Amino acid sequence: MNSVTTRFAPSPTGHLHVGNIRTALHNWLLAKQAGGRFLLRIDDTDSERSREHFVDAIREDLDWLGLSPDGEERQSARFDDYEREFERLAAEGRIYPCYETPQELELRRKVLLGRGLPPIYDRAALELSEARRAELEASGTRPHWRFKLDHASPITWQDGIRGKQYFDPAQLSDPVVRRADGSWLYMLPSVIDDIAMDITDVLRGEDHVSNTATQIQMFEALGAPPPRFAHEALLTGAQGKLSKRIGSLSVSQFRADGIEPEAVVALLARIGTSDPVDPSLGLDELATSFDLTRFGRAPARFDEAELDRVNTAIVHGLGYDAVGQRLPDGMGEAGWEAIRPNIERVEQAGDWWKVVKGPVPLPPADDETRAYLAEAAVTLNEQDGGDDPWHALTGALKAATGRKGKALFLPLRQALTGRDHGPDMALMLKLIGRDEAITRLWSASGRE
Ligand code: GLU
């Protein structure tokens, strides 16, 4: 297989958080850039903790972000394959049974640490005599299984982000691949899947670096060339620390906060690089410019304030076609165009639409202002409206009263919208409509 195939492999034991979303996005971008495939692999070997509603949520989240997979696989449907490969490796002696209890292992760990030694599994299970093993089996002790690392083959790979990596397998514990109850740990099934699904590139967090070292030997043991690997730096909060908030930032939280998927994507595509975030870039453009070598090894900072800024820029660029369905009934293109520059979230359009529709609170006004507003009502009533009633009105009032600047505009804005700031009044007046505007000016003037 020459073409690129990547996978995103979440465990359905919770909602995707921002770190998972970054991994999914980067795998999507890597695949699409090469015209390749992006697979969703549901890592649900842990039937105790996996939940179907989380699987649905993962699909929905990817869909909302625009990261639709080209195929979906489930580990729980592939147990036969794992069993077959397991038998093969066990027959070859690359997987071996171990009978230690967790307490025994913990004790040995402590002893080693106490002596200042690394807590590497001592392979005591390999020394068991046949007779002792038979005895243990006869007493009903079920073994767990470890993959036997080849100590004679140093492990190296060229990491797409971290550069050349080197591990001495003798410094690693043989990883447990299967529990005594027959259930699978993540390590071996993942490799079996990566081979079966022709995965060419594994891009994941740096918490998997040492897993990669042992998995590379599993690829070799299974007779397959390892894929390319790249490990991304951890995502931290703006303060540079791992924050609880980062762990809880999910797609549903973004949605609840009124964040657009384009903003999440634009920010997460560039986070960890020194390249600027460009709110105008969509997924396809981001794929074209995606470059793993731009990512550094320093922790990538996720700054919610930056997400807000990117989101606002995106909202300001959204056309009516893109948001029409999310706007209040009756709010047409002119309404959106008028209000768009004054909001940071699409949902805030509704607040301004209420201002357009009224009623609006009466502003406190002194006698002089009330007289001015009465004059404004009369003036607006006398004018024929024309194309630009606001400039016609304020032009006439300026000439008649000598008011200018704030004294000219602010009382009108307050009377018409009930607020001191807001969208362009020339557009607002047209949306409010001439008759309603006269009514508002008149009631703010205190005249009945
Ligand atoms: N289910 C694993 C995880 O979420 C997948 C890791 C991988 O990408 O291989 O950590």
Side-chain angles (χ1 to χ4, degrees), residues 315-320 323 327-328 330-346 348-357 390 413 417 419 421-433:
V315 169
H316 291 174
L318 283 175
Y320 179 70
V323 288
L327 300 177
M331 183 172 171
E333 185 162 4
W336 173 244
E337 295 293 338
I339 284 165
R340 179 173 67 169
N342 280 77
I343 56 174
E344 294 173 349
R345 307 274 193 268
V346 170
Q348 291 164 348
D351 301 339
W352 284 110
W353 194 242
K354 283 195 192 124
V355 170
V356 168
K357 289 283 142 204
W390 174 253
R413 178 182 283 282
T417 68
R419 304 194 186 188
H421 306 280
D424 182 353
M425 282 306 299
L427 300 174
M428 285 298 270
L429 180 53
K430 282 202 219 175
L431 291 172
I432 292 166

Side-chain angles (χ1 to χ4, degrees), residues 7-11 20 23 41 43 75 186 190 194 202-205 207-208 215:
R7 86 296 195 276
F8 171 52
S11 304
N20 307 132
T23 303
R41 188 184 86 199
D43 282 6
Q75 291 198 317
Y186 144 80
S190 181
D194 286 340
V202 171
L203 171 57
R204 55 191 180 185
D207 49 328
H208 282 289
Q215 285 181 325

Side-chain angles (χ1 to χ4, degrees), residues 15 130 249 360 392 439:
H15 286 287
E130 274 306 321
L249 277 177
V360 296
T439 307

Side-chain angles (χ1 to χ4, degrees), residues 275-346:
D275 298 338
V277 177
D278 185 343
S280 70
L281 299 183
L283 276 170
D284 291 339
E285 290 123 320
L286 289 168
T288 310
S289 58
F290 188 67
D291 181 359
L292 274 188
T293 65
R294 308 290 299 161
F295 289 85
R297 288 184 61 170
R301 291 183 181 207
F302 180 79
D303 183 354
E304 282 187 80
E306 190 174 12
L307 181 64
D308 280 340
R309 286 193 292 276
V310 175
N311 191 65
T312 301
I314 283 170
V315 169
H316 291 174
L318 283 175
Y320 179 70
D321 290 350
V323 288
Q325 290 189 328
R326 292 161 61 192
L327 300 177
D329 277 351
M331 183 172 171
E333 185 162 4
W336 173 244
E337 295 293 338
I339 284 165
R340 179 173 67 169
N342 280 77
I343 56 174
E344 294 173 349
R345 307 274 193 268
V346 170

